[in-house]
Amino acid sequence: MKTYTVHRRRDAFSSDDEEARIILVKEGFNWPALFFPLIWLLFRRMWLVTLAWLAVTVLIGVLGSWLGEAHEGSVTIVTILVSIWFAFEANALRRWSLGRKGWEIVDIVSGEDRWQAELSHFRRAETAVPFTSAASPHGAGRRARGVPVVGGLFPEAGR
C-alpha cells in the first residue's frame, strides 16, 4: 500500500469541481527525481528548490574541479549520495513548495495505487462532517497567531 497526502488550495472551499482542485503527493522515494531531477523540478514548478538543487550541483562540480583528478572517485560518490538523498526528500520538498503556494494538507490516504487513494479520499470527503469550532475565532482549519504548532521532527512556532 502506498500513502499519499491530499492537498487543496486554501482559498478553494466551494464544492464545484473538487477533483480539479486537489493534488495527491506520494510518501517515499521518487524515481523520476533520482534519474531526471532538473526535468522533474521544472515540471512540478518548484522554482526555489530548483535553484537550491542547481546551487548544490554547481558546488559539487566546482569542488570536484578544485580537488582534481586524485579525488574524482570521492566526488562521484558524493554526487551519487546527494542524488539518492534528493530522491528520498523530493516529495517532502514538493509538499513544502505546495504549502508556500497556498495549498494545505487536508487528508492522508492509502491505496494500492494513486487511483484507489484518490477514491478513498473522495469517499471519506463525501461522508465527512465539516469541523467548526465556536472556541476558535479564526474558523476551522486556521491557526491563531501565537499558538505554536508542533509536529514532525522539527516543530515550528506559528508563522
Side-chain angles (χ1 to χ4, degrees):
M1 286 264 235
K2 297 175 185 167
T3 304
Y4 295 84
T5 53
V6 181
H7 300 258
R8 180 175 56 191
R9 288 201 60 91
R10 287 189 186 106
D11 56 358
F13 286 106
S14 66
S15 62
D16 42 304
D17 202 15
E18 173 82 11
E19 292 120 19
R21 294 181 291 108
I22 68 162
I23 295 175
L24 272 68
V25 179
K26 185 178 71 107
E27 292 283 327
F29 196 81
N30 191 312
W31 288 101
L34 176 66
F35 293 113
F36 311 104
L38 184 60
I39 295 169
W40 184 82
L41 286 165
L42 293 175
F43 179 75
R44 298 294 181 191
R45 298 179 178 205
M46 298 169 57
W47 312 124
L48 289 176
V49 180
T50 302
L51 290 175
W53 180 83
L54 286 171
V56 169
T57 303
V58 168
L59 181 67
I60 291 172
V62 168
L63 183 65
S65 64
W66 182 67
L67 290 174
E69 290 183 25
H71 297 284
E72 189 174 311
S74 300
V75 173
T76 302
I77 290 172
V78 168
T79 302
I80 291 170
L81 290 175
V82 167
S83 297
I84 292 171
W85 171 83
F86 179 74
F88 273 110
E89 293 299 320
N91 290 328
L93 291 167
R94 183 167 183 220
R95 278 188 282 285
W96 176 79
S97 293
L98 287 170
R100 286 183 42 85
K101 294 176 184 174
W103 294 77
E104 65 182 350
I105 297 175
V106 294
D107 200 0
I108 299 173
V109 292
S110 295
E112 290 296 320
D113 57 11
R114 182 184 174 92
W115 182 83
Q116 281 188 347
E118 197 170 307
L119 187 62
S120 172
H121 165 69
F122 286 118
R123 281 185 183 156
R124 191 179 319 171
E126 69 186 19
T127 60
V129 176
F131 172 76
T132 56
S133 172
S136 173
H138 301 285
R142 297 184 76 193
R143 179 175 10 131
R145 284 197 184 269
V147 177
V149 173
V150 178
L153 295 175
F154 305 103
E156 55 182 69
R159 283 188 241 159

